[in-house]
Amino acid sequence: MNLIQIGREVRKMTECLSRAQMEPEEAKLAKEYSDLCALANQRLLQCASMIDAADIHQALQLAEVRPPLLDLVTLLAFKQADEWCARCRTNHLPIPEPLDARSIKSLNAIYSKGIAANTPLYKNYREAMMQNDDAKAMAVLRMIVRLNPGDSNAIQELKKLEEKDLAARLHGLGVSIQAADQKAVLEQIQEIESLAPTFPKDNEIWRKAQAIRCKILFRELQELRREDLWADSFALLSQIRQLCAEFSVELTGHSSQEMSEIEQWARQQAKNQAEQDNFNRIMGELGILLDSDRFGPVSKLGLEDLKQETKILGSKRRELDQFAQTIPPDLENRLNQVLQDLRVNIHKQQTRKARMFRLGLAAGTMVLIASALICFEWRRETGMATALQSLVESRQITTIEKLIPSVSHQHVISPRLAKTLQTAGDYLKQTRQAAEQCVQGVAQLNAYSNNDLAGSDPEQIYRRRADLLKEIKALPADVQIDPRLSLSPFENHWNSFLAQEGPQRSAKFNKLFAEAKSRVQSMADSSLSDGPSEDEQKIIALESMLEGLINSAVPALQIDRTAADNFHTFREEWETWRSTTASLRAPESLAAYLNALRRLQTCGYFSTKSVSTAATIASLDMDAWHLKASLILPGGELAKLTNHNTAEKAAFYPADMRPAEKDRYLELRDDEQIHQVWLYNMDKDHFTPLTAGREYTVYSIGPIVTKANKQLGRVYDPVASPDDLNFKNVSNYIDETHFKEEGRHALEYWAYEKIGFGNLIDSQTGAYQTALLEILDRVNRETNSSPLFRAFLAMKLYNMIDVRPVEWGYIWCPAAAADRQRLVDLGAGRLQSGNWYVPSLIQSEGDRFEKYFESVRATSYMKQARFYQTLAQRLDSADFSFAGYVHPDRGLITALKAKSTSLWGFGKNGKLALLYKLNPQATGYDREQTPLPFSPVFCFAQDYHLDVEQACEAAGLERTAPSIAACPLVAE
């Protein structure tokens, strides 16, 4: 993640902090922020360890790795970081570890020390500039500027390099946009963001790239919706909206509407998940309460404690009732039992309290009967009202039935007592009505016989039974003992039915499951049809029936867990098979087809051979430019170039001279064995004339000088030293020799002048004006000089090309590379300057080098390079798109609306080649060679033969020229 992306994440976190309610995307933000803090701490500790070990340079290099460590720490330590940590702690989200203050302090101390003017960093910068390595120069300059912020020159140079680098990258981005290469656009955006944290947002290329990025992200969002990954959708929604707002990108109306629908769906899913989490939390809290020992011997609790515990459990029950979910039966039974025990004990203690109250009241009445008759009556009625109310609350139906008649016969009834009597009567009536409904329901279930159950829906009966038991348990305890509420007759029939139905369902499940697996196995790796086959439709029906058997609500009828798990595994692989097969029937794009092959590898219903072949295809490079490059120039070197390298017609020589090239140029220009050697005939030895025919040639560095009748010079005598080049100072006065005065330049001198290496550089501007490939062509055509000299000169020219092989056009000339290797194999790399004068070397090496030059003379490096460069330029923007694939059984499956004359794909050797050609008479395709199974096939939207003809014309070559025969597009 680069600094721009991290900054966007921090802004999202700040926006979340401004909202009181937790947003769904906060969980992912918390996880990413926590991981970033951990990564920053790891780098900080590594830097601190290097600083402690006095390895300052290594620590600084690690700190400057993208993203720069201190810049990363500044973003992570944003103003509201503590508030964010507190929010994470409150909402049980990942809590980031604090950034290591000691390591930050140590690193800041190193930066604050600055650097001296003689630091190795400045030397590294100069070397990078001499090598024209802008990337390395920028990296060194960034470290210099951070260590020495007062160096205005470094700041200015860094700004220039960054602007140059950014312009080049934006140009490349524009080319990728024109080529509609969305994958390259996305990669270049991320690379630019990681290298250039700030740039003009109004740049049109950048804005278009961000629009493409939004489209790609929107497709990823749609994929998340299809895969039901709602939690990941929020981050993409936020990122798309942020990019649209930041770069004024407008989505289409349909896309905008679909985004709103996806957001609504994701928020609903988040809401559902939150409700489920709350329901589980409350059930967990209730389970903890019931598992605790606070509800042990409830009879030992006081009345107030009993009421308080009843209130707590009732509150939890009401909270659970707010959710539209079913409480597990065991938990509900435990809860009802504890509540029942609490109510019984509350009733007992209230009754005891009332009894004690009446006894006290009677005793008080006997003492105060004369003076407190009215008070007694009031207390008696109050006690009756309280007793009735207590009985209603404790649900003592039988006691209420007995008490109401005795109270109703009182001659005086106060309003309060009358109201209590009305309440108790209503409660009694409602309870009896509910009990009667339960009695009727029990009677209906008890009326079922074994035959009735066999012909009914067990799921429906199970739900009726569960609802009825729930209603019975809701009745007061003294009503539940009514014999009419007993389900014993039904339970006997029900259990007998389940004992028979369970094995039958299991047997039915196993039979259907075996049939489904057998049908799928028989279809594995089968040929594709135009739509779902009869077997597929049958399997879909079987899948539906198996699903119904597995999802039974009746526990006794549920399929064994192992069998159910096996079915779920089968269904996942079956769905993978279906989706893969559907994609393979009519693949819409290369991405969709490769995705289908990836799914094929994970499905157990394809053969090992198909899985292996699909894996082979998935591992191949399917980049559009790389595919075209392999058709232009096999070997892989051209694929290393990005598209913009072919945008303009190359001159095959650089615009400027690099130091390394200058050194190699001067080495040849100043070689005295080439430019300063003169040839003289030796005619006298010891002043004795040599016999006719014995005169021979010697070599002098510079002309032999005659002074005072003396001949002086540095001379190599090949007769005296036939194995070693050895120039000696000679004076014929001492050596008693004589040379004819008519000296002449060696043939190698004139050959050097003829090939034009001296005109490589414009003497007025100092810039190149000739291609080295053209000079190599002249070397190959030269016949007068020694073959050893030509081999030596060719190797020197190749060494000069090595500095910048792309700019010199070497990458477009495979013949030059092959011929160079032949020279190396012949030993040309061991040749020294002047070896062409040594007789023994001429005799042993001359013939094989001469044969080499005879074999390469017919090939023009310049023409070959011009052909390949022109062809690449024309095909760079050509539409070379996915056209289908080769099915192992059915053969070619096309995705073309219109037929193309040629289809390219991967042959058995894994190389891209012509697989099919259109047969006009049969209106179909003839196979040219055996394809790799599952190989995708591609075609050019327009006739590429015209491009080949144009390239031949530009290079001045016939299409049958041997130098371009290796090009697959020519050979086809």
Side-chain angles (χ1 to χ4, degrees):
M1 189 176 290
N2 54 57
L3 291 178
I4 290 181
Q5 293 171 324
I6 296 172
R8 289 179 181 140
E9 295 289 307
V10 171
R11 287 197 294 274
K12 291 179 191 174
M13 292 158 60
T14 305
E15 291 173 3
C16 290
L17 289 173
S18 64
R19 305 185 186 101
Q21 188 175 2
M22 178 180 165
E23 293 295 323
E25 62 264 31
E26 288 187 39
K28 185 173 183 181
L29 286 174
K31 176 67 169 58
E32 292 175 348
Y33 180 68
S34 178
D35 292 344
L36 285 171
C37 288
L39 178 62
N41 266 339
Q42 181 182 0
R43 289 179 63 187
L44 283 169
L45 292 174
Q46 289 175 341
C47 289
S49 176
M50 294 174 184
I51 293 172
D52 292 339
D55 194 355
I56 306 301
H57 183 68
Q58 191 72 16
L60 290 174
Q61 282 187 326
L62 177 59
E64 288 300 313
V65 172
R66 293 288 175 178
L69 185 52
L70 289 182
D71 293 343
L72 174 61
V73 168
T74 301
L75 283 175
L76 295 178
F78 65 104
K79 186 177 180 180
Q80 295 169 286
D82 292 340
E83 186 178 347
W84 175 260
C85 293
R87 188 180 180 96
C88 291
R89 192 175 294 106
T90 301
N91 294 303
H92 307 289
L93 298 177
I95 303 173
E97 60 185 61
L99 298 174
D100 189 71
R102 175 185 171 276
S103 300
I104 296 174
K105 184 177 180 180
S106 299
L107 193 57
N108 276 323
I110 295 300
Y111 278 112
S112 62
K113 287 181 180 180
I115 52 175
N118 58 351
T119 183
L121 289 174
Y122 287 98
K123 180 181 177 182
N124 294 342
Y125 165 66
R126 289 192 293 270
E127 289 177 353
M129 290 301 293
M130 290 177 65
Q131 296 171 1
N132 222 6
D133 191 344
D134 292 344
K136 180 180 178 181
M138 283 191 293
V140 176
L141 275 179
R142 288 190 184 103
M143 191 177 297
I144 291 174
V145 169
R146 195 180 287 274
L147 291 169
N148 187 12
D151 189 342
S152 58
N153 289 332
I155 294 174
Q156 186 176 2
E157 287 299 317
L158 177 60
K159 181 179 179 181
K160 290 180 180 178
L161 286 176
E162 287 180 340
E163 289 176 350
K164 175 184 175 183
D165 181 66
L166 179 58
R169 293 181 184 278
L170 287 175
H171 174 72
L173 182 60
V175 174
S176 298
I177 292 173
Q178 292 179 358
D181 190 346
Q182 295 187 351
K183 178 182 177 183
V185 169
L186 192 58
E187 291 175 351
Q188 288 171 300
I189 288 176
Q190 294 172 346
E191 184 177 1
I192 291 174
E193 285 184 342
S194 66
L195 297 176
T198 58
F199 44 79
K201 295 183 179 180
D202 56 354
N203 184 280
E204 186 60 20
I205 293 177
W206 186 248
R207 196 194 66 77
K208 289 181 179 178
Q210 294 296 343
I212 294 174
R213 184 184 195 180
C214 288
K215 292 179 182 178
I216 296 173
L217 293 176
F218 180 71
R219 287 198 295 273
E220 294 179 6
L221 182 63
Q222 291 174 315
E223 186 64 23
L224 290 178
R225 174 63 180 91
R226 285 191 289 271
E227 296 178 0
D228 206 28
L229 299 176
W230 60 268
D232 296 333
S233 300
F234 290 103
L236 273 183
L237 282 165
S238 178
Q239 186 177 3
I240 293 172
R241 288 205 168 97
Q242 194 170 14
L243 289 172
C244 289
E246 188 174 352
F247 298 103
S248 301
V249 177
E250 293 184 3
L251 297 175
T252 63
H254 175 72
S255 299
S256 180
Q257 180 182 356
E258 188 172 353
M259 273 188 62
S260 299
E261 292 173 354
I262 292 176
E263 182 176 18
Q264 184 179 2
W265 160 78
R267 292 197 178 277
Q268 182 61 41
Q269 293 296 101
K271 181 180 178 182
N272 295 342
Q273 185 63 44
E275 289 181 358
Q276 182 64 45
D277 293 342
N278 288 334
F279 181 79
N280 294 339
R281 175 183 59 80
I282 296 172
M283 283 206 306
E285 294 173 354
L286 183 57
I288 293 172
L289 286 174
L290 295 177
D291 290 338
S292 65
D293 56 358
R294 65 194 295 174
F295 300 115
V298 295
S299 59
K300 296 182 180 180
L301 299 176
L303 179 60
E304 294 302 322
D305 292 334
L306 290 171
K307 290 182 177 180
Q308 181 63 26
E309 299 301 344
T310 304
K311 182 178 179 181
I312 292 174
L313 291 178
S315 173
K316 294 297 180 185
R317 176 58 183 266
R318 287 190 295 274
E319 289 181 16
L320 289 176
D321 289 340
Q322 294 176 359
F323 298 96
Q325 299 192 43
T326 304
I327 304 174
D330 59 335
L331 181 63
E332 186 176 26
N333 293 338
R334 291 167 57 199
L335 175 60
N336 290 336
Q337 185 61 48
V338 172
L339 286 173
Q340 179 66 22
D341 293 343
L342 288 171
R343 294 188 186 105
V344 170
N345 281 276
I346 289 173
H347 172 67
K348 288 180 180 180
Q349 293 200 24
Q350 286 177 337
T351 304
R352 189 183 300 116
K353 183 178 179 182
R355 188 181 301 117
M356 295 299 294
F357 174 76
R358 286 195 298 272
L359 289 174
L361 181 61
T365 303
M366 292 174 65
V367 176
L368 302 173
I369 192 170
S371 58
L373 183 59
I374 298 176
C375 180
F376 170 76
E377 185 66 22
W378 178 82
R379 285 181 179 276
R380 186 180 64 81
E381 290 186 357
T382 301
M384 290 182 180
T386 302
L388 275 174
Q389 183 64 36
S390 176
L391 290 171
V392 170
E393 291 178 357
S394 60
R395 301 174 33 163
Q396 299 294 314
I397 295 298
T398 305
T399 307
I400 293 173
E401 285 181 325
K402 294 177 180 179
L403 186 58
I404 286 179
S406 63
V407 175
S408 301
H409 286 91
Q410 298 294 325
H411 61 279
V412 178
I413 297 178
S414 67
R416 180 187 177 191
L417 184 57
K419 183 177 181 181
T420 304
L421 283 171
Q422 180 66 35
T423 302
D426 293 342
Y427 173 70
L428 181 62
K429 180 180 179 181
Q430 293 172 0
T431 303
R432 287 304 180 188
Q433 289 176 350
E436 187 59 32
Q437 291 176 356
C438 290
V439 169
Q440 294 175 5
V442 169
Q444 292 174 359
L445 286 181
N446 286 335
Y448 276 99
S449 65
N450 286 340
N451 292 334
D452 294 332
L453 289 174
S456 62
D457 182 2
E459 308 289 333
Q460 182 180 1
I461 295 177
Y462 177 78
R463 287 192 292 270
R464 286 180 58 189
R465 172 181 173 274
D467 293 340
L468 185 56
L469 289 174
K470 184 177 179 182
E471 293 172 3
I472 293 175
K473 289 180 180 180
L475 295 174
D478 49 358
V479 177
Q480 294 182 20
I481 62 176
D482 189 338
R484 296 179 301 165
L485 293 176
S486 173
L487 282 169
S488 297
F490 168 76
E491 294 293 342
N492 293 333
H493 294 308
W494 177 245
N495 292 332
S496 175
F497 166 74
L498 293 180
Q500 296 177 1
E501 182 69 12
Q504 291 177 1
R505 285 207 170 198
S506 295
K508 181 179 180 181
F509 173 85
N510 292 334
K511 180 180 179 181
L512 294 176
F513 192 21
E515 181 182 354
K517 290 192 293 185
S518 175
R519 286 182 178 274
V520 172
Q521 290 290 356
S522 66
M523 291 172 57
D525 266 352
S526 64
S527 60
L528 301 177
S529 57
D530 294 332
S533 64
E534 181 179 349
D535 279 338
E536 285 185 66
Q537 295 172 352
K538 181 62 177 177
I539 294 171
I540 294 172
L542 291 172
E543 181 185 13
S544 177
M545 289 188 284
L546 289 167
E547 184 72 26
L549 291 173
I550 282 183
N551 294 331
S552 175
V554 185
L557 298 182
Q558 291 178 351
I559 302 302
D560 176 72
R561 174 50 54 191
T562 301
D565 291 341
N566 291 337
F567 169 71
H568 290 310
T569 301
F570 159 80
R571 184 172 58 183
E572 290 176 0
E573 292 194 348
W574 158 242
E575 291 299 332
T576 300
W577 187 93
R578 286 183 62 196
S579 63
T580 302
T581 305
S583 298
L584 292 177
R585 284 192 180 101
E588 298 177 354
S589 64
L590 179 61
Y593 174 66
L594 294 178
N595 188 39
L597 291 186
R598 284 190 286 269
R599 293 198 304 271
L600 184 151
Q601 297 173 57
T602 64
C603 180
Y605 295 126
F606 289 96
S607 67
T608 304
K609 181 179 179 181
S610 293
V611 171
S612 175
T613 308
T616 301
I617 294 298
S619 66
L620 297 175
D621 188 355
M622 300 291 179
D623 178 77
W625 167 247
H626 292 175
L627 291 173
K628 288 188 284 187
S630 64
L631 293 181
I632 297 170
L633 188 59
E637 290 299 319
L638 184 57
K640 298 177 183 178
L641 293 177
T642 54
N643 299 23
H644 66 267
N645 290 102
T646 65
E648 297 179 1
K649 184 176 179 180
F652 296 145
Y653 55 80
D656 57 344
M657 176 180 281
R658 287 189 178 178
E661 293 170 340
K662 184 176 181 180
D663 293 342
R664 298 174 194 192
Y665 168 76
L666 294 177
E667 181 183 353
L668 277 177
R669 191 199 68 176
D670 300 334
D671 190 336
E672 64 179 7
Q673 310 290 355
I674 299 174
H675 304 286
Q676 299 298 324
V677 172
W678 290 70
L679 276 63
Y680 288 88
N681 288 338
M682 183 173 178
D683 58 351
K684 290 183 179 181
D685 184 12
H686 295 283
F687 295 113
T688 301
L690 297 176
T691 59
R694 290 192 59 194
E695 294 182 358
Y696 61 90
T697 301
V698 297
Y699 306 96
S700 170
I701 298 297
I704 294 177
V705 179
T706 301
K707 290 185 178 180
N709 294 326
K710 294 180 181 180
Q711 291 180 316
L712 306 175
R714 289 179 56 211
V715 176
Y716 165 59
D717 187 343
V719 175
S721 180
D723 298 324
D724 296 307
L725 183 66
N726 186 12
F727 284 90
K728 296 181 179 180
N729 291 323
V730 172
S731 169
N732 66 347
Y733 180 77
I734 298 172
D735 298 328
E736 299 181 347
T737 58
H738 186 268
F739 310 99
K740 289 186 177 180
E741 294 183 1
E742 297 84 4
R744 60 194 180 279
H745 280 296
L747 293 176
E748 286 71 27
Y749 169 85
W750 297 112
Y752 179 89
E753 293 295 325
K754 180 180 178 182
I755 65 174
F757 186 76
N759 298 323
L760 179 67
I761 298 173
D762 190 328
S763 60
Q764 301 296 324
T765 63
Y768 290 116
Q769 61 180 0
T770 304
L772 288 178
L773 291 178
E774 184 175 349
I775 294 178
L776 280 168
D777 282 342
R778 296 171 186 169
V779 171
N780 290 343
R781 293 194 298 267
E782 211 282 320
T783 57
N784 294 326
S785 60
S786 168
L788 273 67
F789 165 73
R790 283 175 270 154
F792 169 82
L793 183 58
M795 292 304 296
K796 291 297 182 181
L797 295 178
Y798 283 127
N799 290 341
M800 191 170 178
I801 286 175
D802 285 343
V803 178
R804 284 183 285 184
V806 175
E807 287 83 345
W808 286 109
Y810 187 62
I811 197 169
W812 303 105
C813 189
D819 292 348
R820 178 184 186 177
Q821 186 59 48
R822 287 179 59 195
L823 281 175
V824 171
D825 295 340
L826 290 172
R830 300 189 300 271
L831 293 176
Q832 303 291 326
S833 180
N835 281 169
W836 49 88
Y837 300 131
V838 180
S840 62
L841 292 177
I842 295 172
Q843 184 177 1
S844 62
E845 307 287 344
D847 287 344
R848 60 184 180 184
F849 281 117
E850 186 61 49
K851 291 179 181 179
Y852 160 79
F853 283 107
E854 289 175 357
S855 66
V856 301
R857 195 162 289 144
T859 301
S860 169
Y861 298 154
M862 276 294 289
K863 289 184 177 181
Q864 186 187 65
R866 180 66 66 206
F867 168 81
Y868 282 120
Q869 189 273 336
T870 304
L871 183 59
Q873 177 191 6
R874 293 186 63 85
L875 294 183
D876 183 18
S877 57
D879 183 2
F880 187 65
S881 56
F882 177 72
Y885 74 101
V886 182
H887 189 271
D889 297 326
R890 294 189 63 190
L892 178 64
I893 296 179
T894 61
L896 296 173
K897 294 182 179 179
K899 297 214 177 263
S900 177
T901 57
S902 304
L903 296 180
W904 304 82
F906 295 97
K908 274 198 167 182
N909 59 357
K911 304 288 186 180
L912 196 66
L914 179 66
L915 297 183
Y916 297 92
K917 292 190 72 174
L918 184 65
N919 186 334
Q921 298 177 351
T923 65
Y925 287 97
D926 293 334
R927 194 173 75 178
E928 296 294 309
Q929 61 174 283
T930 303
L932 194 64
F934 287 119
S935 168
V937 293
F938 307 89
C939 68
F940 287 97
Q942 297 180 350
D943 187 4
Y944 60 87
H945 295 91
L946 180 60
D947 298 314
V948 174
E949 295 298 333
Q950 292 291 333
C952 289
E953 182 180 344
L957 291 171
E958 296 293 333
R959 183 162 182 166
T960 57
S963 61
I964 59 174
C967 176
L969 296 178
V970 174
E972 183 268 319

